[in-house]
Amino acid sequence: MTDQTAPSGQVDVRLIVNGDAHTVAVDVDETLLDTLRDRFDVTSARGTCGIGLCGACTVLVDSKVVSSCIMLTAQAAGHEITTAESLGGGDGRLARVQEAFVQRGAYQCSFCIPAMALTVHAALADDEAGRSRDSVREYLAGNLCRCGTYPEILEAVTDLVDEAGDRATGSDA
Ligand code: FES
Ligand code: FES
């Protein structure tokens, strides 16, 4: 939801960021990436290519994976934005997806990793995608890693998919 009470060239936009509702005045051409980083201290979404190719700026908008560098903040008005900051517990505990990355050494410089982990989280939450390693891998097609950590990332994905399968069948193996 937007309104026109903001100064000329700006709009007031209501966003729900990691569960909290906010109204911010933003430039009409401001990207969601800039809004999240500059106004909400979100550092997990990272600007690199700026044209929707690398996935480093990934956030979830209403649970859908979005490149925040190519979405205007005004387009996100009224929607729920989830960033990688929300994955773990507030007490610093890691989410299972993050643990799996750590256990498999799925990081080098880690620049791409928050977006990778958030994308895997979204894929696992999607019943269709979460069923197989290949479908999660398809979800990750838009996330690039300059360090080439793909094998370890896919090992973590395999662990997570296997665990999800075990839960579905009631197996503890
Ligand atoms: S910075 Fe957004 S996709 Fe590369
Ligand atoms: S771990 Fe360095 S870009 Fe992916």
Side-chain angles (χ1 to χ4, degrees), residues 46-57 67 69:
R46 291 153 181 184
T48 305
C49 69
I51 53 173
L53 288 178
C54 74
C57 63
S67 293
C69 70

Side-chain angles (χ1 to χ4, degrees), residues 56 105-114 116 144-150 153:
Y107 48 86
Q108 291 188 56
C109 78
S110 291
F111 190 84
C112 69
I113 297 300
M116 290 276 188
L144 304 184
C145 174
R146 290 174 300 182
C147 299
T149 315
Y150 301 111
I153 290 169

Side-chain angles (χ1 to χ4, degrees), residues 118-137:
L118 187 63
T119 302
V120 171
H121 167 81
L124 293 169
D126 176 338
D127 273 347
E128 292 294 319
R131 277 187 206 138
S132 77
R133 176 181 182 273
D134 284 347
S135 50
V136 177
R137 185 179 173 155

